[in-house]
């Protein structure tokens, strides 16, 4: 198992991600080889900032999220 799959499983177990769907497909490469592909659709319970990776608290128009600090730095949110 690679490190990305381990990280995904860890985040699902911790409750950070919600598992939406899994897929499994097999493709015959040649008479002796079958390629197995696993797919996972997950939903982050705490969306990440599209710019720095911190927890996103403000939703942008394109369904991406941004954190307060990046919003302030980009002038998307006025102080006060």
């Amino acid at each position: 198992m690679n490190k990305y799959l381990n990280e995904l499983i860890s985040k699902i177990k911790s409750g950070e991600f919600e598992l939406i769907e899994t897929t499994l497909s097999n493709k015959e490469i040649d008479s002796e080889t079958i390629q197995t592909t696993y797919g996972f659709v997950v939903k982050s319970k705490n969306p990440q900032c599209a710019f720095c990776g911190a927890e996103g608290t403000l939703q942008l128009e394109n369904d991406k999220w941004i954190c307060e600090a990046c919003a302030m730095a980009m002038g998307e949110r006025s102080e006060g």
Side-chain angles (χ1 to χ4, degrees):
M1 217 180 299
N2 69 36
K3 68 179 183 175
Y4 300 108
L5 185 55
N6 284 333
E7 182 179 346
L8 177 63
I9 291 169
S10 173
K11 289 184 177 191
I12 291 169
K13 285 182 177 179
S14 73
E16 185 177 341
F17 285 169
E18 177 184 355
L19 182 61
I20 305 296
E21 180 183 341
T22 60
T23 58
L24 169 68
S25 63
N26 292 312
K27 177 181 177 183
E28 188 173 338
I29 303 300
D30 56 42
S31 62
E32 297 179 2
T33 308
I34 295 177
Q35 175 182 346
T36 301
T37 305
Y38 297 92
F40 302 92
V41 177
V42 296
K43 178 180 177 183
S44 176
K45 291 187 178 178
N46 299 316
Q48 291 184 327
C49 174
F51 300 99
C52 73
E55 181 178 351
T57 55
L58 303 167
Q59 188 171 12
L60 302 174
E61 292 176 1
N62 57 3
D63 290 332
K64 292 190 179 187
W65 292 79
I66 188 170
C67 70
E68 294 276 339
C70 287
M72 295 282 271
M74 294 178 188
E76 293 289 324
R77 186 172 177 91
S78 61
E79 291 189 49

